Amino acid sequence: MQRRAAFSAQTLAVLAALAGQPSAWRHGYDLAQETGLKSGTLYPILVRLADRGAVEARWEEGQPAGRPRRHLYRLTSDGLAAATAARAVAVAGPGSRPAVSRRAAGRAPSARRLAGDGT
Amino acid sequence: VKARLTELLARALRVAARLLPAPRREWAEAVQAEASLLPAGWPRLDWLAGGLWMVLKEANVVRKVIYWLGIGAVAATAAWAMWLSWRAAQVADAEAVTDRVRILVVATAMLGLPWVARRHGWFGPVASTVPARLTRVWGCAAICGIGIALLRADSHAGGNAIGLKGGFSALHEVAGLVLVAALVAVPLIVRARRPSVDPSTLWSITGVAGVSAWMLLPLQLLAVGYVVAVLFATSRRAPLASTQLVVGMIAGVVMGLIAYGLAGLADQLLPVYLGLLAIITLAVAGTAGALAAWLLPDTAECGELREACIRQGLLAGAVAGAAGALLLTNLSLFLFFTMIIGPPAGLVGGALGGAFAAMHPLKRGPDGARAWGLFVSGS
């Protein structure tokens, strides 16, 4: 029986988006736009990644004028290692490639980038 | 309309966020904060709808709704059955009154047991596998079905569905109920107050209370026993794996249908039918036991594997015997006695099947695949 990938295509897309700028704090809508994921998919992934210690979250400091404070996210060192490992698996070839569905991969540009597609 | 819908969803999200435990609420707040920065219209609406879905999933709201719908269904079935009984049964029919009490006791057990033992998880919550959930729904529905069939039979003048005569005795009922309560409560209390107590003492107390209650209320206890078995077998603490449940349930349904197909014999040649019933139960439960054992993942030690095979077969066989008996009693109340002999016969058949599987393990190929005739299962 083929082993399932540790991360789904959507999770890989989120990891790739965060790993693109590892030191920057990103907000939800920004990640949603980059990954093409809806909030109902993106946030549960962020919750799970935060639970696993792969993502750290904090609220924006100070009260910005005319808008509420945003919740911000970035990868921890463990998360960055996990993202790098996932990328290595994705580019290693079909045998070790995680089971990423064509539809999900096509929808999520970050997943393609993670797999080294370059498109 | 969009603005109104957006406002409605934002309010629903704020309310739903309260369902989440405190550390999780900030995620709902994050979605809300982000929503106010999105362009108004569909993008904001879509974002809020996704956030609401996330909160409902995180708070297990769907599961809670289904759970309460299940409880409501059992309570409504019991209430409806009582109403039917009062309307249709003979006013002075003592057996009908006894049946009402039996059904109330069973419905109370079905609704109350998961709540009573919720801290230890013996009867609830249900295990998070599909087979466990389906088995619990099927088992509870089958028990409710027997109750309704019983009341329906009572509605016919002079009808006594299962052939047991005897008047209604309030003393028997009350004493029996007290004993059933003691059966559940005493071991829990003793264990809570004296954690170091010898398990054999607890089993002795349970055994004495159980036998006494059985003497007073054989049918109630049988039905309550089935409720306990269904709830326990499908709880998170259950020793049954999904494989045993699936194999046992399928075998039980097959067994029930075969036995019901031959039920015509029971009127003419009861001993022959009983013999056939025993053979069918042993054969089907044995097959279930062997299948469950063959599906067992490999264990290191040969002796350990044999024990595991027999245990798998035993449990799958017991499930098959109980499921078959429940189905058979639903199809014909006259065959209620299969609820007594079904599980032990299934247990024996399953153990034999498990032992057979231990002696004849399926050959594995070099890549770890098992040969299944036309089929090959990967590892």
Side-chain angles (χ1 to χ4, degrees):
Chain A
M1 192 183 292
Q2 194 181 5
R3 283 172 65 86
R4 283 178 65 88
F7 294 118
S8 65
Q10 291 83 357
T11 309
L12 288 172
V14 174
L15 283 174
L18 288 167
Q21 301 166 46
S23 56
W25 288 93
R26 314 281 301 273
H27 57 82
Y29 186 52
D30 179 24
L31 288 172
Q33 280 191 313
E34 185 171 341
T35 57
L37 298 175
K38 307 251 182 201
S39 58
T41 308
L42 172 68
Y43 278 91
I45 290 172
L46 288 171
V47 172
R48 300 287 165 265
L49 289 174
D51 286 347
R52 290 183 185 187
V55 160
E56 54 184 329
R58 70 168 176 86
W59 286 98
E60 209 172 7
E61 281 167 10
Q63 180 61 56
R67 65 173 177 85
R69 288 188 306 151
R70 280 179 142 148
H71 207 219
L72 305 171
Y73 319 97
R74 75 174 179 191
L75 288 176
T76 59
S77 52
D78 285 352
L80 194 56
T84 311
R87 186 181 189 283
V89 170
V91 296
S96 57
R97 193 170 176 154
V100 178
S101 76
R102 278 167 195 272
R103 199 174 148 212
R107 207 173 44 225
S110 299
R112 289 204 305 269
R113 207 178 66 208
L114 190 76
D117 199 349
T119 53
Chain B
V1 175
K2 277 181 204 164
R4 202 171 164 75
L5 262 176
T6 307
E7 178 57 32
L8 204 70
L9 273 177
R11 197 176 300 166
L13 184 58
R14 272 197 297 275
V15 173
R18 291 182 207 151
L19 297 169
L20 293 171
R24 284 271 195 259
R25 273 181 214 151
E26 69 170 358
W27 292 99
E29 289 162 13
V31 176
Q32 277 175 305
E34 212 65 51
S36 59
L37 301 168
L38 262 60
W42 285 119
R44 192 180 294 177
L45 205 62
D46 192 28
W47 186 264
L48 284 169
L52 184 62
W53 174 242
M54 183 266 291
V55 170
L56 295 180
K57 270 202 301 190
E58 288 292 316
N60 283 326
V61 169
V62 176
R63 179 186 282 195
K64 284 173 190 164
V65 167
I66 290 172
Y67 175 75
W68 283 107
L69 280 177
I71 285 191
V74 172
T77 308
W80 179 60
M82 289 300 114
W83 180 73
L84 275 184
S85 168
W86 250 278
R87 266 179 58 116
Q90 301 289 307
V91 176
D93 186 357
E95 192 61 35
V97 178
T98 313
D99 284 343
R100 275 177 216 155
V101 175
R102 285 171 185 155
I103 286 163
L104 275 178
V105 168
V106 173
T108 309
M110 211 179 279
L111 295 173
L113 279 177
W115 183 78
V116 168
R118 67 192 180 285
R119 227 166 52 181
H120 298 284
W122 287 337
F123 305 122
V126 66
S128 55
T129 61
V130 174
R133 287 178 189 181
L134 288 180
T135 305
R136 180 169 286 208
V137 170
W138 188 91
C140 290
I143 293 168
C144 288
I146 292 174
I148 290 173
L150 200 62
L151 291 179
R152 205 170 155 215
D154 283 338
S155 69
H156 297 292
N160 187 356
I162 48 181
L164 293 180
K165 296 285 178 194
F168 176 72
S169 165
L171 186 68
H172 269 206
E173 299 297 326
V174 172
L177 287 179
V178 168
L179 278 170
V180 170
L183 195 72
V184 175
V186 170
L188 291 177
I189 294 168
V190 171
R191 205 162 173 194
R193 299 232 165 155
R194 294 172 184 272
S196 59
V197 73
D198 186 14
S200 60
T201 312
L202 285 178
W203 281 113
S204 308
I205 295 170
T206 310
V208 170
V211 170
S212 314
W214 177 268
M215 302 289 282
L216 284 169
L217 305 169
L219 291 177
Q220 277 98 324
L221 208 65
L222 181 66
V224 171
Y226 265 80
V227 171
V228 167
V230 168
L231 295 178
F232 179 65
T234 54
S235 73
R236 285 186 189 166
R237 288 188 67 165
L240 281 108
S242 292
T243 313
Q244 293 156 342
L245 275 181
V246 171
V247 171
M249 287 298 296
I250 292 172
V253 170
V254 169
M255 190 185 88
L257 291 176
I258 295 174
Y260 183 65
L262 298 170
L265 264 179
D267 290 338
Q268 297 142 11
L269 296 163
L270 188 61
V272 174
Y273 181 70
L274 288 178
L276 275 175
L277 201 61
I279 292 168
I280 291 165
T281 309
L282 286 173
V284 176
T287 310
L291 271 175
W294 274 323
L295 291 171
L296 190 71
D298 279 346
T299 45
E301 295 292 323
C302 191
E304 193 187 320
L305 180 63
R306 190 174 300 119
E307 275 177 30
C309 280
I310 294 173
R311 194 167 53 243
Q312 287 265 334
L314 205 110
L315 292 171
V319 171
L326 271 179
L327 179 64
L328 213 46
T329 311
N330 263 278
L331 294 172
S332 169
L333 270 180
F334 171 72
L335 299 170
F336 85 98
F337 61 88
T338 55
M339 286 175 68
I340 301 169
I341 59 168
L347 210 78
V348 173
L352 291 174
F356 176 80
M359 285 187 288
H360 301 87
L362 290 181
K363 285 179 184 165
R364 277 179 172 274
D367 58 347
R370 285 178 171 129
W372 286 82
L374 285 174
F375 305 101
V376 173
S377 80
S379 62

